[in-house]
């Protein structure tokens, strides 16, 4: 497969196709009561987000931390309302310039054409390296600056 995408929203459109409600806005891809889970998240980063407001806040916190440049979809495994995605991305930590080249397996559950649950399995060591370590990652996520 190995289809390339410029953004996470384009990757979701490509991976989920007609299962996903057509929309230009990524927020419309999710139910209001969406649950995002990050089972491998390190200390200082969330392991669960409940609802659209929490997801929106999370995405705003990540934006100044990571620059993601290319997503590659490797495989899609549909099973009823659940789809398992295998993909990777290239990017870097904004404050460090260090690479964030991550592999993911995501388990996506859909309800009425929208994502109602998203379980994201990724390597926390890649994230911590790109962000300058566990303390720097937790501080950046909390909106604090290191050394000041």
């Amino acid at each position: 497969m190995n289809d390339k995408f410029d953004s996470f929203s384009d990757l979701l459109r490509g991976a989920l196709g007609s299962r996903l409600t057509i929309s230009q806005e990524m927020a419309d891809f999710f139910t209001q009561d969406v649950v995002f889970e990050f089972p491998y998240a390190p200390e200082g980063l969330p392991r669960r987000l409940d609802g659209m407001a929490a997801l929106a806040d999370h995405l705003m916190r990540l934006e100044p931390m990571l620059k993601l440049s290319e997503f590659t979809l490797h495989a899609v495994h549909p099973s009823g309302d659940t789809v398992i995605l295998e993909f990777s991305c290239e990017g870097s930590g904004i404050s460090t310039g260090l690479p964030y080249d991550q592999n993911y397996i995501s388990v996506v559950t859909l309800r009425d054409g929208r994502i109602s649950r998203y379980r994201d399995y990724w390597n926390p060591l890649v994230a911590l390296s790109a962000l300058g370590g566990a303390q720097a990652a937790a501080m950046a996520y909390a909106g604090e600056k290191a050394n000041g």
Side-chain angles (χ1 to χ4, degrees), residues 83-106:
V83 181
I84 298 170
L85 311 177
E86 296 179 47
F87 65 98
S88 58
C89 79
E90 295 177 10
S92 61
I94 291 175
S95 68
T96 65
L98 295 171
Y100 178 78
D101 298 334
Q102 185 68 267
N103 293 301
Y104 301 87
I105 294 193
S106 295

Side-chain angles (χ1 to χ4, degrees), residues 54-118:
L55 176 58
D57 179 67
H58 176 71
L59 294 174
M60 285 184 8
R61 289 172 184 265
L62 290 182
E63 191 173 334
M65 295 171 64
L66 292 170
K67 178 175 177 35
L68 305 178
S69 55
E70 182 177 88
F71 292 83
T72 303
L73 181 62
H74 302 288
V76 178
H77 308 280
S79 178
D81 291 335
T82 299
V83 181
I84 298 170
L85 311 177
E86 296 179 47
F87 65 98
S88 58
C89 79
E90 295 177 10
S92 61
I94 291 175
S95 68
T96 65
L98 295 171
Y100 178 78
D101 298 334
Q102 185 68 267
N103 293 301
Y104 301 87
I105 294 193
S106 295
V107 181
V108 180
T109 303
L110 295 142
R111 183 175 71 229
D112 300 325
R114 297 183 194 278
I115 297 168
S116 62
R117 185 172 183 201
Y118 194 109

Side-chain angles (χ1 to χ4, degrees), residues 4-75:
K4 306 273 186 203
F5 299 92
D6 292 331
S7 69
F8 181 61
S9 58
D10 288 345
L11 173 104
L12 288 175
R13 282 186 196 95
L16 299 174
S18 63
R19 292 178 196 88
L20 189 63
T21 298
I22 297 171
S23 175
Q24 294 300 312
E25 299 297 320
M26 191 165 104
D28 292 336
F29 293 171
F30 305 101
T31 61
Q32 284 300 309
D33 63 346
V34 66
V35 173
F36 257 73
E37 295 172 291
F38 309 98
Y40 300 143
E43 190 69 33
L45 299 179
R47 290 207 168 90
R48 181 181 168 116
L49 304 169
D50 289 292
M52 272 303 301
L55 176 58
D57 179 67
H58 176 71
L59 294 174
M60 285 184 8
R61 289 172 184 265
L62 290 182
E63 191 173 334
M65 295 171 64
L66 292 170
K67 178 175 177 35
L68 305 178
S69 55
E70 182 177 88
F71 292 83
T72 303
L73 181 62
H74 302 288

